[in-house]
Amino acid sequence: MKELLASLPPLLPRQQMLDLLHSQVYGHLPETPEKLNFQEEALPDPTFGGKAVCSIVTAHCVVKGKDFSFPFLTAIPTKAGKHPFFVHINFRPGLADYYQPIEEIIDNGFAVLSFCYNDVTKDDGDFTDGLAGILYENGNRGPEDPGKIAMWAWAAQRVMDYAQSKADVLDLDCAIVCGHSRLGKTALLAAATDERFPFAYSNESGCSGAAITRGKQGEHVSHICTTFPYWFCENYKQYMDREMAMPFDQHYLVASIAPRKVAIGSAAEDLWADPAAEQLCCFAASEAFEKGFDCPDRPAEIGETFFGGHIGYHLRAGQHFFSREDWQKLMQFIQTHYKQE
Ligand code: GTR
């Protein structure tokens, strides 16, 4: 596989890679809020048999002088101590366990903080909705202005602001931002642009996420900018059918998380995302990490995990889905690297 690396732009210093990703792909993330406070409401149920306390927290932000708020769920183990925790950027609100097996996560000693991306701004081309409506109050979208992925990433960072106020029960040395597919792209961007996340996990994020674009199968910039142009900044469209002209590729996103740790999960039948292109990205980003990608130079086989380095990869059987198996692999990666080094 490594012979393919020669066709990729070489890694650059982190800030230069981030500048390219901001100006050419995702747009610049919104500024941090001028004011921010959190309102918490503890839920009587569920407690998972007394194992966790769940709350709905509302983040009240002032952005560009205007009020903006969004809710998120917290599920924190009742066991004494500080807990490692996931900031899960989710497709669904609240306690829905599709894509998010909360009890199992708690049983593994982790807390979960999760929000529904549509509560920040809707997953469509309407830039008058939610946070987008505040940023684009005059209706103009400049070439480097944020797309929706950048806004969802910003929201994950606000959840991290909350976590910092809970340092008595959350272990800030083990915050993992994670998501599936479009929200895996978002999780990588959230971690790349915020060093408070010691870990990131992308599940099957594919095109414009963890997959190298050059030479991939399945989705390309031309597809994604036709179907989901609003996920990105306007500049990204210039690379439709011109991917070889991109002065970057997706290993810049993953390498921008270094020296922190990141895991990438693929599903063998998810050819639209392209598992091999995601594995190639791990090779391409490897040298940015203190302990690089620990994987032989060949495509992964189904069921394999390569978790020895600070950039990890697993390939499972099946289709596009954030499965329990992915969560188990993710927790295995974290347990391998958390407090062990
Ligand atoms: C697909 C899109 C992918 C991926 C996926 C998802 O339709 O083409 O890039 O993000 O949606 O988010 O489920």
Side-chain angles (χ1 to χ4, degrees), residues 93-122:
L95 284 150
D97 83 340
Y98 188 83
Y99 282 175
Q100 183 176 261
I102 294 185
E103 185 177 1
E104 195 170 324
I105 296 169
I106 287 165
D107 287 344
N108 279 276
F110 293 84
V112 182
L113 284 60
S114 87
F115 67 94
C116 175
Y117 73 144
N118 275 314
D119 286 337
V120 177
T121 180
K122 292 258 179 327

Side-chain angles (χ1 to χ4, degrees), residues 260-275:
R260 294 163 293 136
K261 294 159 192 143
V262 55
I264 308 293
S266 302
E269 290 176 43
D270 186 9
L271 302 182
W272 187 241
D274 191 350

Side-chain angles (χ1 to χ4, degrees), residues 31-32 37 83 90 100 137 163 200 212 220 244-245 257-258 273 311 325 331 339 341:
E31 297 289 319
T32 52
N37 66 69
H83 308 284
N90 201 353
Q100 183 176 261
E137 54 188 345
I212 292 293
H220 277 269
M244 291 308 281
I257 299 170
I311 172 161
E325 187 179 343
M331 291 188 282
K339 286 191 180 163
E341 292 163 13

